[in-house]
Amino acid sequence: MKYMLLMQFSAAGTDFPSIDTWTQDEVRAHIAFMGEVNAKLTAAGEWVDGQGLGGPHQARIVRAGEGGAPVVTEGPFAETKEFLAGFWIVDCESPQRAVELAAHISTAPGPGGRPLNMPIEVHPVMSAPAEEL
């Protein structure tokens, strides 16, 4: 079964500064950890895809307007306290394994090497609707 693991950043309830204030060594350690996670997932045959995402200042919200034309607004906005920082799609044997992976990813190092304990959402990826539909 495939699962999407969503790394959420929340300014509310965190006890660490935003990544743009970390030292170069702290950023390198964080990125190296993510590379190790991806390598282990690949070696275990569980890797499907994963990406870090640009911050909220680079995101756009799109809705269909008149006649289906895109209406684009900037956002989420600066007052947004939470945003999606990255994702993985993994293919694992059980929901428990997906939860184990999410817990490990949550330990990514931050300032001073301390685990960030960022929330990681775990969502099953639906492959097709139920046959009775």
Side-chain angles (χ1 to χ4, degrees):
M1 175 97 187
K2 290 182 183 158
Y3 296 88
M4 180 175 258
L5 311 178
L6 301 168
M7 177 179 271
Q8 298 285 336
F9 174 80
S10 174
T14 60
D15 63 348
F16 58 86
S18 64
I19 197 166
D20 60 339
T21 65
W22 299 5
T23 68
Q24 287 184 352
D25 286 342
E26 290 167 340
V27 172
R28 282 189 200 105
H30 184 78
I31 292 170
F33 175 89
M34 296 303 177
E36 291 168 12
V37 165
N38 297 345
K40 288 177 183 177
L41 290 170
T42 299
E46 296 173 318
W47 170 266
V48 176
D49 193 10
Q51 303 292 326
L53 300 174
H57 65 283
Q58 297 172 306
R60 302 294 176 261
I61 296 174
V62 180
R63 291 182 174 84
E66 187 68 33
V71 176
V72 180
T73 57
E74 292 184 12
F77 299 99
E79 63 271 12
T80 300
K81 300 288 186 221
E82 297 178 354
F83 64 89
L84 186 59
F87 71 91
W88 291 260
I89 297 178
V90 295
D91 192 353
C92 27
E93 295 288 322
S94 67
Q96 294 80 12
R97 176 63 179 152
V99 167
E100 289 172 6
L101 294 171
H104 178 66
I105 291 168
S106 179
T107 68
R114 289 188 8 232
L116 294 175
N117 295 322
M118 290 175 64
I120 309 295
E121 291 184 28
V122 178
H123 293 264
V125 175
M126 309 309 288
S127 59
E131 286 190 29
E132 56 270 1
L133 293 178

